[in-house]
Amino acid sequence: MTEQPPPPPGPGFGPPPPQYAPSNAPAQPPYAPAQPAYAPAPPQPVPAGPEFLAVDKRNAVVVDASGVVFELSGHTLEFRWPEIRGVHYKASPDGRALMVAVVHMDGRFYECGVEAKPRARLREWFAQLAWVLGHYRPAG
């Protein structure tokens, strides 16, 4: 019988050869999982509070305890309350959609329009949105 060559070493350096290992160190498995240098912070739960949601076929507006979110044809824009200077809303010129604008702290503004079908829904959205914004932004 011929003697088999030793298997190739695994990834990384592994433990030192026995003649160089410290004699007082506890034995550690050669491929122990590395401990992360830091533990990722668990996601912070959003406190319960009133929410506003307006949705049509392409767009959506959400206002809740975390801030304002626009969904525009599959693209999402999230604004947290600390970065929002103001939130404005009005009916579109033809009266068929809710127009919501977020003014960022640096002066930029972003706008999203959500079509209201039936048109009576627009009045419901105005009442709900005013109440929710008043809850989170009582000073304006």
Side-chain angles (χ1 to χ4, degrees):
M1 278 195 166
T2 60
E3 197 172 311
Q4 296 285 333
F13 292 108
Q19 67 267 27
Y20 297 110
S23 60
N24 61 354
Q28 182 179 10
Y31 301 108
Q35 295 296 325
Y38 65 92
Q44 297 295 324
V46 176
E51 297 178 345
F52 172 78
L53 173 65
V55 180
D56 68 14
K57 291 180 182 178
R58 296 180 329 198
N59 302 333
V61 174
V62 178
V63 180
D64 61 16
S66 63
V68 179
V69 179
F70 290 164
E71 178 80 26
L72 298 161
S73 300
H75 296 85
T76 303
L77 297 169
E78 295 185 36
F79 306 97
R80 302 287 175 207
W81 288 119
E83 62 189 26
I84 296 175
R85 181 180 291 170
V87 179
H88 307 282
Y89 60 94
K90 66 178 184 176
S92 64
D94 63 4
R96 295 182 181 178
L98 170 67
M99 304 298 294
V100 179
V102 170
V103 181
H104 201 266
M105 290 303 265
D106 64 9
R108 292 178 292 166
F109 73 94
Y110 302 86
E111 192 173 57
C112 181
V114 181
E115 190 174 347
K117 284 189 177 181
R119 281 190 185 192
R121 183 167 292 153
L122 189 58
R123 281 176 274 161
E124 296 171 17
W125 284 348
F126 278 148
Q128 292 172 359
L129 184 55
W131 185 78
V132 172
L133 286 174
H135 179 81
Y136 295 116
R137 309 274 302 187

